[in-house]
Each structure stands twice: as C-alpha cells, then as structure tokens.
Amino acid sequence: HRFGNEIIKSIPAGSIYFGGTDPGRFVISVLCESQVEGKPFFTLTQNQLADQTYLEYLRAMYGKKIHIPTTEDSRKAFEDYTADVSRRQKLGQLKPGEDVRMVNGRVQVSGQVAVMEINGLLVRKIFDDNPDHEFFIEESFPLDWMYPYLKPHGLIFQINREPLTEVSVKEV
C-alpha cells in the first residue's frame, strides 16, 4: 500500500503513467480510483505496447481520452525498428541481446531487446501525440530515447518535454 500510495499521490491528475514492473503497474491499478476512467491518471505499461491485443485494450479503455497508437502506428514502429536494426547490423552496432537474422531476404528480429525497442518507439508516439499531459514512468527496462528527458520524481521518474541539461541535488 505504501509503495502504491506514494506513487499515486505524487502524480498530477490527468497525467499518463507507465508502470514497468508488475507491482509498478498492478498495485497502482488496484489502488487508483478508476482504472477505466483514468482517475486520477492513465495507467499503461511500456512493456506490452508491441502486442496488438494490448493496444486494442488501451484504445477501448482510453481511446476517447488520450491518443493510443493505431494498428498503422504499430506497423510503422515495427518497420522503423527493422530498418534501423538492419542498418546497425551492417555497421556492427547491434545492442547486446538483439537477435537479428536474415530469413528469405528479410530482416527478422526476436527477443526482449527487440521487443523493448519497438515498445520504446510506441511510448515515444504516445508521448508525442499527447502534448497536453504530463508523463511519468516506473522503469523496468531502459528506453534509450528517454534518458535526456528523465527527472527523478520520488519512487519514479517524470518524463520532461525538453531534454534536461542538469538535475539538481534537491530533485534526486
């Protein structure tokens, strides 16, 4: 209760919160006033966005209140990642754990690193398409694009709209 309540009371109403770990998502969901209505804030997980079923669930629950990636957005994230990983593979710049193979002349990816890279692109899409909301994350897996934007916020991080040049000791 203490963990969940500390996070909930720290997030402004109407914000979008990404829970990364099971407790960071499920405890928050259980303790929030209304998961379905997004009260006091919208709770998602960054770990499942590459799953079309999860995106459909989010669109059904929150789609009239916040922008959730469409099937086309998801397809584009997969294509963008595949193009990027193909380019990086040729340059010998794959990340540890990226499983990339050529199958019948096409790039095929699998594994946790690839899935989280795609999830990261979809989190970025949600972030960009909801400019009127504040964003917070309880991170379970690094999403590289976020690092310049993250600021400590109690037990979690706030994702700022502009990259930070520094973080004060008071914020840590």
Side-chain angles (χ1 to χ4, degrees), residues 1-11 27-28 31 41 153-156:
H1 273 85
R2 186 171 164 202
F3 169 79
N5 286 327
E6 286 294 318
I7 290 174
I8 290 168
K9 74 180 183 183
S10 78
I11 298 175
V27 169
I28 304 308
L31 295 176
F41 48 79
H153 184 82
L155 299 172
I156 58 176

Side-chain angles (χ1 to χ4, degrees), residues 89-124:
Q89 182 181 38
K90 290 174 187 164
L91 297 171
Q93 297 175 341
L94 292 180
K95 295 179 180 183
E98 272 185 307
D99 186 9
V100 181
R101 297 185 201 127
M102 290 299 287
V103 177
N104 297 326
R106 294 180 57 152
V107 175
Q108 189 175 70
V109 298
S110 63
Q112 182 182 35
V113 175
V115 170
M116 287 309 297
E117 289 293 318
I118 294 164
N119 286 335
L121 293 172
L122 292 166
V123 167
R124 183 64 191 243

Side-chain angles (χ1 to χ4, degrees), residues 121-134:
L121 293 172
L122 292 166
V123 167
R124 183 64 191 243
K125 178 77 174 146
I126 294 168
F127 181 75
D128 290 345
D129 288 353
N130 291 284
D132 297 333
H133 295 272
E134 291 185 72

Side-chain angles (χ1 to χ4, degrees), residues 72-82 118 121-122:
E72 178 60 24
D73 294 332
S74 181
R75 185 192 57 74
K76 184 175 180 336
F78 276 87
E79 287 176 0
D80 289 351
Y81 173 68
T82 302
I118 294 164
L121 293 172
L122 292 166

Side-chain angles (χ1 to χ4, degrees), residues 146-152 160-169 171:
M146 283 185 189
Y147 287 130
Y149 301 88
L150 293 176
K151 180 172 83 174
N160 292 282
R161 289 279 162 199
E162 298 297 324
L164 301 173
T165 55
E166 63 182 41
V167 176
S168 76
V169 175
E171 293 172 322

Side-chain angles (χ1 to χ4, degrees), residues 22-93:
D22 287 346
R25 183 173 79 185
F26 297 124
V27 169
I28 304 308
S29 294
V30 166
L31 295 176
C32 277
E33 181 182 338
S34 174
Q35 175 74 13
V36 174
E37 294 177 25
K39 288 185 180 179
F41 48 79
F42 303 96
T43 303
L44 296 78
T45 182
Q46 67 270 24
N47 299 344
Q48 290 297 118
L49 295 171
D51 179 343
Q52 278 302 310
T53 306
Y54 183 64
L55 284 177
E56 289 170 15
Y57 162 77
L58 290 176
R59 282 192 296 272
M61 187 164 52
Y62 296 146
K64 292 185 184 349
K65 298 172 185 156
I66 60 174
H67 182 274
I68 300 294
T70 64
T71 302
E72 178 60 24
D73 294 332
S74 181
R75 185 192 57 74
K76 184 175 180 336
F78 276 87
E79 287 176 0
D80 289 351
Y81 173 68
T82 302
D84 178 61
V85 79
S86 178
R87 178 190 60 79
R88 289 186 294 106
Q89 182 181 38
K90 290 174 187 164
L91 297 171
Q93 297 175 341

